[in-house]
Protein backbone atom coordinates (compact mmCIF):
# COMPACT_ATOMS: atom_id res chain seq x y z
CA UNK A 1 0.00 0.00 0.00
CA UNK A 2 1.33 3.40 -1.01
CA UNK A 3 -0.07 6.62 0.42
CA UNK A 4 0.24 10.07 -1.12
CA UNK A 5 -0.05 12.82 1.47
CA UNK A 6 -0.40 16.46 0.44
CA UNK A 7 1.63 18.96 2.48
CA UNK A 8 0.38 21.99 0.54
CA UNK A 9 1.69 23.82 -2.57
CA UNK A 10 3.90 21.25 -4.39
CA UNK A 11 4.98 19.39 -1.27
CA UNK A 12 4.00 15.74 -1.03
CA UNK A 13 4.89 12.74 1.03
CA UNK A 14 4.95 9.32 -0.64
CA UNK A 15 4.75 6.66 2.04
CA UNK A 16 5.09 2.92 1.52
CA UNK A 17 8.16 0.80 2.20
CA UNK A 18 9.96 4.18 2.13
CA UNK A 19 9.03 7.63 3.35
CA UNK A 20 9.83 10.11 0.58
CA UNK A 21 9.18 13.85 0.65
CA UNK A 22 9.08 15.93 -2.52
CA UNK A 23 9.58 19.74 -2.62
CA UNK A 24 9.23 20.35 1.14
CA UNK A 25 8.22 24.03 1.23
CA UNK A 26 7.08 24.29 4.88
CA UNK A 27 8.50 27.54 6.36
CA UNK A 28 6.77 30.53 4.77
CA UNK A 29 4.12 28.35 3.15
CA UNK A 30 0.67 29.56 4.25
CA UNK A 31 -0.77 26.06 3.58
CA UNK A 32 2.10 24.30 5.38
CA UNK A 33 1.61 20.89 6.93
CA UNK A 34 4.56 19.18 8.58
CA UNK A 35 5.67 15.82 7.16
CA UNK A 36 4.98 12.74 9.29
CA UNK A 37 7.30 10.00 10.45
CA UNK A 38 10.96 9.48 9.77
CA UNK A 39 11.89 10.68 6.28
CA UNK A 40 14.18 8.43 4.20
CA UNK A 41 14.70 10.60 1.14
CA UNK A 42 13.96 14.16 -0.01
CA UNK A 43 13.47 14.99 -3.70
CA UNK A 44 13.74 18.56 -4.96
CA UNK A 45 12.50 19.47 -8.46
CA UNK A 46 14.27 22.84 -8.82
CA UNK A 47 15.99 25.59 -6.86
CA UNK A 48 13.10 28.04 -6.37
CA UNK A 49 12.40 28.70 -2.69
CA UNK A 50 8.87 27.27 -2.83
CA UNK A 51 10.38 23.87 -3.79
CA UNK A 52 13.88 23.69 -2.30
CA UNK A 53 12.19 25.09 0.81
CA UNK A 54 13.14 23.20 3.98
CA UNK A 55 15.00 20.40 2.19
CA UNK A 56 18.34 21.02 3.96
CA UNK A 57 16.67 21.53 7.36
CA UNK A 58 14.65 18.30 7.10
CA UNK A 59 17.68 16.45 5.73
CA UNK A 60 19.62 17.40 8.86
CA UNK A 61 16.77 16.54 11.24
CA UNK A 62 16.05 13.16 9.67
CA UNK A 63 19.51 12.21 8.39
CA UNK A 64 17.86 11.91 4.97
CA UNK A 65 19.77 12.54 1.73
CA UNK A 66 18.54 15.16 -0.76
CA UNK A 67 18.13 14.22 -4.42
CA UNK A 68 18.28 17.09 -6.90
CA UNK A 69 20.01 18.25 -10.06
CA UNK A 70 23.82 18.19 -9.77
CA UNK A 71 24.18 21.96 -10.03
CA UNK A 72 21.66 22.59 -7.26
CA UNK A 73 23.37 20.03 -5.00
CA UNK A 74 26.47 22.30 -5.05
CA UNK A 75 24.40 24.84 -3.11
CA UNK A 76 23.16 22.48 -0.41
CA UNK A 77 25.67 22.21 2.40
CA UNK A 78 26.17 19.99 5.42
CA UNK A 79 23.88 17.16 4.29
CA UNK A 80 24.23 14.17 1.99
CA UNK A 81 23.10 14.87 -1.57
CA UNK A 82 22.62 12.86 -4.73
CA UNK A 83 23.32 15.41 -7.47
CA UNK A 84 21.94 13.71 -10.55
CA UNK A 85 20.57 14.86 -13.88
CA UNK A 86 17.80 13.80 -16.28
CA UNK A 87 17.77 10.02 -16.34
CA UNK A 88 17.08 6.91 -14.26
CA UNK A 89 18.83 6.17 -10.99
CA UNK A 90 18.56 3.68 -8.16
CA UNK A 91 18.94 5.70 -4.99
CA UNK A 92 18.70 4.15 -1.53
CA UNK A 93 17.05 1.15 -3.18
CA UNK A 94 14.37 3.25 -4.88
CA UNK A 95 13.88 3.57 -8.65
CA UNK A 96 13.80 7.25 -9.51
CA UNK A 97 13.78 8.94 -12.91
CA UNK A 98 14.56 12.63 -13.13
CA UNK A 99 12.67 13.98 -16.13
CA UNK A 100 12.64 17.41 -17.82
CA UNK A 101 10.25 20.23 -16.97
CA UNK A 102 9.68 23.53 -18.79
CA UNK A 103 10.29 26.26 -16.23
CA UNK A 104 13.34 28.03 -14.75
CA UNK A 105 15.53 27.35 -11.72
CA UNK A 106 17.36 29.94 -9.64
CA UNK A 107 18.49 30.99 -6.18
CA UNK A 108 18.26 34.74 -5.46
CA UNK A 109 17.75 35.38 -9.17
CA UNK A 110 20.90 33.51 -10.18
CA UNK A 111 20.20 30.66 -12.57
CA UNK A 112 21.13 27.35 -10.93
CA UNK A 113 20.55 24.00 -12.58
CA UNK A 114 17.50 23.17 -14.67
CA UNK A 115 13.97 22.38 -13.55
CA UNK A 116 12.88 18.76 -13.31
CA UNK A 117 10.09 16.38 -12.48
CA UNK A 118 10.36 12.91 -10.94
CA UNK A 119 8.94 9.51 -11.66
CA UNK A 120 9.18 7.40 -8.53
CA UNK A 121 8.39 3.71 -8.31
CA UNK A 122 7.52 2.42 -4.87
CA UNK A 123 6.01 -0.96 -4.00
CA UNK A 124 4.79 -1.45 -7.57
CA UNK A 125 3.16 1.99 -7.84
CA UNK A 126 4.41 4.65 -10.24
CA UNK A 127 4.07 8.29 -9.24
CA UNK A 128 4.92 11.28 -11.42
CA UNK A 129 5.57 14.65 -9.77
CA UNK A 130 5.74 17.24 -12.56
CA UNK A 131 7.51 19.98 -10.57
CA UNK A 132 6.78 23.43 -11.98
CA UNK A 133 6.17 23.15 -15.70
CA UNK A 134 4.12 23.99 -18.74
CA UNK A 135 2.60 21.05 -20.62
CA UNK A 136 4.82 19.48 -23.31
CA UNK A 137 4.47 16.65 -25.82
CA UNK A 138 7.19 14.51 -24.27
CA UNK A 139 4.87 13.78 -21.35
CA UNK A 140 3.50 11.07 -23.67
CA UNK A 141 7.00 9.58 -23.65
CA UNK A 142 6.96 9.36 -19.84
CA UNK A 143 3.86 7.19 -20.12
CA UNK A 144 5.38 5.10 -22.95
CA UNK A 145 8.64 4.52 -21.05
CA UNK A 146 7.50 4.27 -17.43
CA UNK A 147 3.73 3.83 -17.55
CA UNK A 148 1.18 2.95 -16.55
CA UNK A 149 1.37 5.91 -14.19
CA UNK A 150 -0.73 5.35 -11.08
CA UNK A 151 -0.74 8.97 -9.93
CA UNK A 152 0.29 12.21 -11.64
CA UNK A 153 0.83 15.24 -9.40
CA UNK A 154 0.30 18.27 -11.65
CA UNK A 155 0.50 22.04 -11.12
CA UNK A 156 -2.74 23.82 -12.05
CA UNK A 157 -2.22 27.33 -10.63
CA UNK A 158 -1.27 29.09 -13.86
CA UNK A 159 0.95 32.20 -13.93
CA UNK A 160 4.16 30.23 -13.14
CA UNK A 161 2.99 26.84 -14.45
CA UNK A 162 0.21 25.07 -16.32
CA UNK A 163 -3.32 26.12 -15.54
CA UNK A 164 -6.28 23.71 -15.51
CA UNK A 165 -6.56 23.63 -19.31
CA UNK A 166 -2.88 22.77 -19.85
CA UNK A 167 -2.88 20.30 -16.95
CA UNK A 168 -5.89 18.51 -18.47
CA UNK A 169 -3.87 18.19 -21.70
CA UNK A 170 -1.03 16.74 -19.60
CA UNK A 171 -3.46 14.11 -18.28
CA UNK A 172 -4.36 13.22 -21.87
CA UNK A 173 -0.64 12.66 -22.64
CA UNK A 174 0.35 10.92 -19.39
CA UNK A 175 -2.78 8.73 -19.08
CA UNK A 176 -2.48 8.37 -15.28
CA UNK A 177 -5.10 6.46 -13.30
CA UNK A 178 -5.26 9.28 -10.75
CA UNK A 179 -4.45 12.99 -11.18
CA UNK A 180 -3.82 15.17 -8.13
CA UNK A 181 -3.68 18.97 -8.57
CA UNK A 182 -0.97 21.04 -6.85
CA UNK A 183 0.67 24.48 -6.90
CA UNK A 184 -2.56 26.48 -6.56
CA UNK A 185 -4.25 28.74 -3.98
CA UNK A 186 -1.01 29.21 -2.01
CA UNK A 187 -0.65 32.83 -3.17
CA UNK A 188 -3.01 35.25 -4.97
CA UNK A 189 -1.48 34.90 -8.50
CA UNK A 190 -2.11 31.15 -8.51
CA UNK A 191 -5.69 31.19 -7.26
CA UNK A 192 -7.54 28.43 -9.06
CA UNK A 193 -10.60 26.20 -8.75
CA UNK A 194 -9.45 22.57 -8.77
CA UNK A 195 -13.00 21.51 -9.73
CA UNK A 196 -12.44 23.25 -13.08
CA UNK A 197 -9.43 20.93 -13.58
CA UNK A 198 -11.62 17.93 -12.67
CA UNK A 199 -14.29 19.07 -15.15
CA UNK A 200 -11.73 19.41 -17.97
CA UNK A 201 -10.15 16.00 -17.21
CA UNK A 202 -13.60 14.40 -17.39
CA UNK A 203 -13.29 10.62 -17.65
CA UNK A 204 -9.61 10.63 -18.73
CA UNK A 205 -8.54 10.04 -15.11
CA UNK A 206 -9.84 10.12 -11.58
CA UNK A 207 -9.06 13.55 -10.14
CA UNK A 208 -8.44 13.47 -6.40
CA UNK A 209 -8.42 16.92 -4.84
CA UNK A 210 -6.48 16.85 -1.57
CA UNK A 211 -6.51 19.54 1.09
CA UNK A 212 -3.15 20.15 2.79
CA UNK A 213 -2.79 17.41 5.40
CA UNK A 214 -5.06 14.98 3.50
CA UNK A 215 -3.79 11.72 2.12
CA UNK A 216 -4.98 9.19 -0.40
CA UNK A 217 -4.18 5.54 -1.00
CA UNK A 218 -3.04 4.40 -4.43
NI1 LIG B 1 9.39 27.39 -9.68
MN1 LIG C 1 6.83 27.00 -7.77
Amino acid sequence: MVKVRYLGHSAFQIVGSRNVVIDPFISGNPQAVEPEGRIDLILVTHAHGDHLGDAAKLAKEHGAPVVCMYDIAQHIHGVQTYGMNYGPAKIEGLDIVMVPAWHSSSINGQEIGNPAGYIVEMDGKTIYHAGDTFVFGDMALFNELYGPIDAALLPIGGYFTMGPREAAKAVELLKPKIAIPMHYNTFPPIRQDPKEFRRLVGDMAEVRILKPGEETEL
Side-chain angles (χ1 to χ4, degrees):
M1 181 189 78
V2 177
K3 283 189 310 187
V4 173
R5 183 162 177 263
Y6 189 39
L7 306 178
H9 201 58
S10 290
F12 282 89
Q13 216 173 349
I14 316 284
V15 186
S17 56
R18 300 296 164 92
N19 187 346
V20 175
V21 170
I22 308 177
D23 284 355
F25 171 44
I26 312 296
S27 318
N29 175 0
Q31 302 182 332
V33 176
E34 294 283 339
E36 281 178 347
R38 181 146 197 97
I39 300 164
D40 295 311
L41 202 60
I42 299 163
L43 311 185
V44 174
T45 60
H46 62 294
H48 289 155
D50 59 322
H51 298 262
L52 187 53
D54 302 82
K57 180 174 164 269
L58 288 174
K60 279 189 193 112
E61 284 171 13
H62 292 258
V66 177
V67 179
C68 60
M69 186 157 279
Y70 174 81
D71 314 83
I72 297 170
Q74 308 311 307
H75 296 264
I76 302 174
H77 306 290
V79 297
Q80 192 193 346
T81 56
Y82 289 94
M84 61 182 294
N85 213 308
Y86 303 134
K90 201 166 195 101
I91 295 176
E92 308 273 324
L94 210 60
D95 285 306
I96 293 167
V97 189
M98 182 185 273
V99 295
W102 277 105
H103 189 64
S104 61
S105 179
S106 62
I107 297 175
N108 298 325
Q110 194 196 338
E111 195 184 326
I112 300 196
N114 289 310
Y118 288 100
I119 294 166
V120 179
E121 202 198 308
M122 192 191 291
D123 308 341
K125 299 288 183 186
T126 302
I127 298 123
Y128 168 56
H129 186 296
D132 280 359
T133 189
F134 192 73
V135 63
F136 48 95
D138 283 354
M139 285 178 175
L141 198 60
F142 302 164
N143 173 51
E144 261 183 60
L145 275 168
Y146 311 112
I149 294 167
D150 292 284
L153 319 180
L154 303 171
I156 64 153
Y159 198 84
F160 301 110
T161 68
M162 305 188 271
R165 183 182 174 197
E166 295 78 18
K169 187 68 188 179
V171 168
E172 190 185 319
L173 298 168
L174 292 158
K175 302 188 190 343
K177 289 177 192 150
I178 297 159
I180 300 174
M182 64 176 180
H183 211 273
Y184 67 99
N185 290 352
T186 324
F187 308 109
I190 58 172
R191 192 163 292 142
Q192 209 63 251
D193 181 4
K195 292 199 184 78
E196 170 69 359
F197 171 60
R198 176 182 276 152
R199 189 185 68 75
L200 292 167
V201 168
D203 58 9
M204 289 191 291
E206 181 194 342
V207 173
R208 293 191 192 169
I209 298 166
L210 301 180
K211 290 195 184 76
E214 280 185 349
E215 61 185 33
T216 189
E217 223 173 89
L218 301 187

